[in-house]
Amino acid sequence: MKSLVLSITIGAVLMSSYINAQMDLIFTPGYGVAFTKSNIHAIQDSYSSYILLTENDAPEGITVNADPNFDRKHISDFLSFQLALSGNWVYFGISYMPNKFVQERSVMYSNGYGRTFRWEDKRNEVLFDFGFGSKYIDVFGTFGVNFNKYRMTSYQVYPDGSKSLSNDFYFNGVFKTEDTGLAYGFGIKIKPINFLAIDVRYLYANHKMFGEYRTSDITEGGMVLTDFSFARSPVMSEFPQDFNAPYSHKNSIAPMFNKHYLTISLIFHYRTND
């Protein structure tokens, strides 16, 4: 028994010495820029539909001025947090990348009345990185999950510039939902000197998990952009993809918002063995 304990102790000491000699345990908070492209066709179609409805309903002599449609491409800064083990031809890391994208669009009558839409897309990527590691460069694949929150706020706008979310207007409301999906991609980390690294990665964030129901079924049930105000009629609680059709689950907007990322980050990189 004593010999077994002694063997385990010696093995643990040798392994610890090997890791300390060959591997770097790295804590790397960082700051970067994300170039993204989102699949928000439903939001764009909904906005176009509202413009058409507004033009059709405009009183005689009143014109409609509308902002361009919502953008699919964004550039946004973000913070990242990573914990990694690198060296001896092996790289393993855990990354957390939160980010937020906000857009506003307005459709206004020439008499000063109109509507403003504010679209918020909040994402949290939790990733596991595996690949090749060395002292000055890491190359890895990444896989993980994303936890997302979406919000569309629709305001009535008055000539004096004030906004209202009163239930007196059908299209007013704060419509929101949450969604979880998978993310995967690849990246490279360049570490020219101690305390500084450059992390570049591509990431594709899906909108569903393995085994989840088909996204075409989402609008037959829950998980749509919904206003949960109990003061509103239930048939008016869903944010519609088509403003020209009656409100129903079939024309509500489901969270089918895939996203492509290209991120470049400056990392505070502390090597335990230099």
Side-chain angles (χ1 to χ4, degrees), residues 6-273:
L6 180 61
S7 298
I8 294 175
T9 302
I10 293 173
V13 171
L14 291 175
M15 182 175 292
S16 176
S17 299
Y18 175 78
I19 290 175
N20 288 333
Q22 303 295 329
M23 306 290 285
D24 286 331
L25 181 62
I26 311 161
F27 174 66
T28 58
Y31 176 79
V33 177
F35 304 86
T36 68
K37 183 178 181 180
S38 303
N39 175 20
I40 56 169
H41 296 297
I43 297 295
Q44 293 176 320
D45 292 345
S46 181
Y47 182 70
S48 296
S49 176
Y50 183 76
I51 294 174
L52 179 60
L53 177 67
T54 304
E55 292 174 341
N56 291 338
D57 291 346
E60 186 176 355
I62 300 297
T63 59
V64 176
N65 299 304
D67 289 336
N69 213 319
F70 287 94
D71 292 327
R72 295 181 60 198
K73 298 179 180 179
H74 299 90
I75 299 176
S76 177
D77 60 343
F78 70 97
L79 294 174
S80 65
F81 303 90
Q82 301 179 29
L83 181 64
L85 191 65
S86 175
N88 194 35
W89 307 98
V90 175
Y91 177 83
F92 170 74
I94 302 174
S95 303
Y96 171 58
M97 296 171 53
N99 54 77
K100 178 180 179 181
F101 305 92
V102 179
Q103 300 186 63
E104 282 194 2
R105 296 293 186 272
S106 296
V107 181
M108 302 296 297
Y109 288 116
S110 56
N111 61 5
Y113 290 91
R115 179 160 302 280
T116 292
F117 300 99
R118 178 181 172 88
W119 172 241
E120 299 176 53
D121 181 341
K122 298 180 181 179
R123 296 176 182 254
N124 296 276
E125 306 287 348
V126 180
L127 305 169
F128 297 90
D129 305 329
F130 302 90
F132 163 85
S134 68
K135 184 173 183 178
Y136 295 108
I137 189 170
D138 302 316
V139 180
F140 54 88
T142 185
F143 176 84
V145 295
N146 51 77
F147 305 93
N148 313 309
K149 294 184 178 181
Y150 308 104
R151 179 192 296 260
M152 176 67 80
T153 308
S154 178
Y155 303 92
Q156 170 71 26
V157 181
Y158 294 95
D160 63 359
S162 60
K163 299 178 180 179
S164 171
L165 285 174
S166 167
N167 291 330
D168 294 337
F169 298 91
Y170 285 155
F171 303 131
N172 280 4
V174 180
F175 306 87
K176 54 188 178 180
T177 193
E178 298 182 4
D179 182 42
T180 303
L182 298 175
Y184 45 89
F186 55 88
I188 183 171
K189 185 180 295 179
I190 302 171
K191 305 173 289 185
I193 59 175
N194 201 7
F195 304 118
L196 179 65
I198 301 172
D199 184 290
V200 181
R201 65 177 69 201
Y202 165 77
L203 187 68
Y204 176 71
N206 203 346
H207 60 80
K208 62 178 181 179
M209 305 292 287
F210 284 129
E212 193 176 28
Y213 45 77
R214 293 180 295 116
T215 52
S216 59
D217 294 336
I218 291 179
T219 53
E220 299 297 332
M223 291 190 71
V224 295
L225 298 185
T226 305
D227 179 1
F228 294 103
S229 172
F230 293 106
R232 297 172 64 86
S233 169
V235 297
M236 304 301 291
S237 66
E238 308 292 337
F239 192 76
Q241 181 170 334
D242 187 352
F243 280 94
N244 296 290
Y247 280 85
S248 70
H249 287 294
K250 292 183 179 180
N251 65 5
S252 298
I253 295 177
M256 298 181 287
F257 309 123
N258 299 340
K259 183 180 285 286
H260 297 267
Y261 291 88
L262 177 62
T263 66
I264 302 174
S265 306
L266 289 178
I267 302 296
F268 173 76
H269 176 274
Y270 175 71
R271 280 199 287 261
T272 57
N273 296 289

